Structures are given as structure tokens and as C-alpha cells.
Amino acid sequence: MNGGARVPSGVWCAMGAGGVCGFWLWVSGPEEQRLLELLSYGLVALGAGSAVLLRFIRMPYGRYSSRRFGWLLPARPAWALQELPSLLVPIGLVACGGAVSGAWPNRVLLGCFFVHYVHRALIFPLLIREGKPTPFFTFVLALLFCVYNGYLQGRSLSNYAKYPSGWLKDPCFITGFMGWLIGMAVNIHSDHILRNLRKPGETGYKIPRGGMFEYVSGANFFGEILEWFGFALACCTIESLAFALCTLFILGSRAKQHHQWYLEKFEDYPKNRKIVIPFVY
């Protein structure tokens, strides 16, 4: 990241004294910023490629879990471990003291990201009720994605994203923050509905009802898509937009699979429900 120039001895001393934090200080600069931009384009390409692939195969976890994709891991620990990098990587980057991590807009936006993944990595797994095992291949892909995106969002907001002093009062931030908050609430409420479809001792699947499920088959996916597009609007960074688009591609495809599955399984499934975007798609 130093453009091939010889690194002054003082920098090596700083890296030696600061360990990992010294490394992040050393790589900081225009070249890393360009790397983040390229990784953002890669994230969008990853989402688009996954959407194409998912037209032909079902994402192998949850109700579509299969031994064909590796040995099966217990749902709770697998989910917690695969999501944890999205929390720990940005926390580590902030702990190293990025150039802008102390600014209030950056603190608030990083806080939004942390809140989501505290729930997804530490709380949500405890709420899973006898979830279907996760294939090892799916677990590894999710883990790598969380490392990738954790670095992308964490490094952008801790070291490069600069905002004017009044950003937290800007309509762009306020609208985005409300979208993030409402989306997260919809996501959590929809997951609650899904968890409580079956009473203790019951097996099989039921038609989800209530909340946003009255409008779309993928209510939980709609909530998360809204959440990250709100986050992207509040951040106004290419990294956050890339994450929102990737989320749309992958969860939109997952929602379409669920919608088709419901229509095939239940003759009385509500025909007026859309797939994932109310009244639109």
C-alpha cells in the first residue's frame, strides 16, 4: 500500500509497537481507499452473480438444507460463528483508532452497523427453535462474506468517510436512519412471526400471517433490504450502497424461492401477496 517506496524505519517501529494497529496505520491512504472502491464493485458483482445462480439452485440452508454441501453443523453455533466477523472486524478497526472514527456521524453510523450484528450474531441464534442444520459449505461462504463486508463497512466508516458538521441533522441522514430503524424492526418482527408459527411439539410448515407477511412472502427479507438501503442513504458511501445492492440481489432471490415454494405447497396461499417488495414485486 506504500506504492513500492521504501518504508521509513520510524513506520516499521510504529508497526512493531502497535502490532495490528500499526499495520492499519501503515496501509491507510489513497491506495487502500481505491481498494475499498474495487471491493465494493466486487460485492455488487457477487450479489448479481448469486442472483443468477439462485435461479437454478436453492440456497442450501434453512428449509433447503442438504448434505450435498458438506457435513451439517448445528444451526445455533453455526449462525453465531458465521455472523460474528461482521461485528468483530469493524470493532477491531475502530479500536485501532481510524482517522475519522471519533467523529459523531461516523460513531452513529458504526453504531447502527454494530446494533444489527449484535442482534444477528449474539441474540438471534439464541432464539432459533430447533433450526435445520447448516451445511459446512454454506457456513464457510457466509463466514467469508461477513469478514469481507465487515472490513469494507468498518474501514470505510472508521477511516475514510468524512461528513459535514451538521450531517446528523441532514434530511438525507434522517431519512436513511428512519429507513434503517423501520427495516430492522420489520425484520425482527417478521422473524418473531416465523418462529412462532408452530406450537411446541408441532412439525411441518404453515402459512405465515400478520405484519408485513400480509403483503409479501419474504417479509423478513423486505425488512433487511429496507434496513440496508436506509443505512446506505444515511452513510452516502459506495461501500454501504454496494452492501445494500448485494442484499437486494441475494435476499430478493431467496424470497422468490420461498414464494414459489409456498405456492406449490399450499393451495390456499394468498394469491395477492407479492414476493418481497409490497405492491410492486
Side-chain angles (χ1 to χ4, degrees):
M1 289 297 176
N2 61 352
R6 183 177 179 180
V7 182
S9 59
V11 175
W12 287 118
C13 291
M15 290 177 66
V20 174
C21 291
F23 168 78
W24 291 115
L25 176 64
W26 178 59
V27 300
S28 178
E31 291 188 16
E32 188 193 21
Q33 198 165 6
R34 176 57 177 165
L35 174 62
L36 291 175
E37 183 180 341
L38 293 174
L39 289 175
S40 297
Y41 296 143
L43 193 62
V44 176
L46 175 65
S50 298
V52 172
L53 183 63
L54 291 174
R55 292 177 63 88
F56 305 100
I57 64 170
R58 287 177 169 174
M59 192 176 295
Y61 74 90
R63 68 188 64 177
Y64 313 125
S65 183
S66 170
R67 289 185 179 276
R68 292 183 302 165
F69 295 89
W71 67 85
L72 301 179
L73 307 175
R76 286 181 176 178
W79 187 277
L81 290 174
Q82 74 187 30
E83 299 290 314
L84 205 53
S86 285
L87 180 62
L88 296 183
V89 171
I91 286 177
L93 292 170
V94 172
C96 283
V100 295
S101 60
W104 272 108
N106 301 71
R107 288 183 181 185
V108 172
L109 292 167
L110 283 163
C112 291
F113 196 77
F114 293 158
V115 166
H116 174 89
Y117 281 103
V118 164
H119 176 261
R120 297 305 280 179
L122 304 179
I123 299 174
F124 179 78
L126 299 178
L127 301 175
I128 294 175
R129 296 184 177 181
E130 300 179 2
K132 289 196 172 182
T134 300
F136 182 74
F137 177 72
T138 306
F139 165 77
V140 171
L141 288 182
L143 180 72
L144 293 176
F145 176 86
C146 288
V147 172
Y148 186 128
N149 192 53
Y151 164 67
L152 196 60
Q153 307 306 321
R155 190 61 171 164
S156 168
L157 289 173
S158 67
N159 206 59
Y160 297 106
K162 297 180 180 179
Y163 300 96
S165 58
W167 182 248
L168 296 182
K169 298 179 181 179
D170 190 280
C172 203
F173 170 81
I174 294 172
T175 303
F177 178 78
M178 292 305 298
W180 171 84
L181 188 62
I182 293 170
M184 186 169 181
V186 169
N187 179 255
I188 291 174
H189 180 249
S190 300
D191 283 338
H192 172 77
I193 290 174
L194 291 173
R195 279 194 303 271
N196 290 278
L197 282 177
R198 292 190 293 264
K199 296 178 180 179
E202 287 185 332
T203 58
Y205 289 92
K206 295 183 178 181
I207 298 174
R209 301 186 185 277
M212 288 303 299
F213 281 111
E214 296 300 318
Y215 303 95
V216 293
S217 296
N220 51 333
F221 302 136
F222 166 71
E224 191 158 352
I225 291 168
L226 175 60
E227 181 182 357
W228 293 124
F229 271 95
F231 181 74
L233 182 60
C235 290
C236 283
T237 63
I238 188 174
E239 294 84 3
S240 59
L241 177 59
F243 182 30
L245 289 171
C246 184
T247 301
L248 175 64
F249 284 135
I250 294 177
L251 295 189
S253 299
R254 177 83 170 171
K256 185 175 182 180
Q257 291 177 347
H258 277 20
H259 185 74
Q260 293 173 335
W261 184 87
Y262 280 127
L263 290 173
E264 293 169 2
K265 188 171 183 64
F266 300 102
E267 293 183 0
D268 59 339
Y269 192 73
K271 300 298 187 292
N272 61 327
R273 285 190 191 179
K274 296 296 184 179
I275 295 173
V276 70
I277 307 297
F279 311 112
V280 177
Y281 172 76

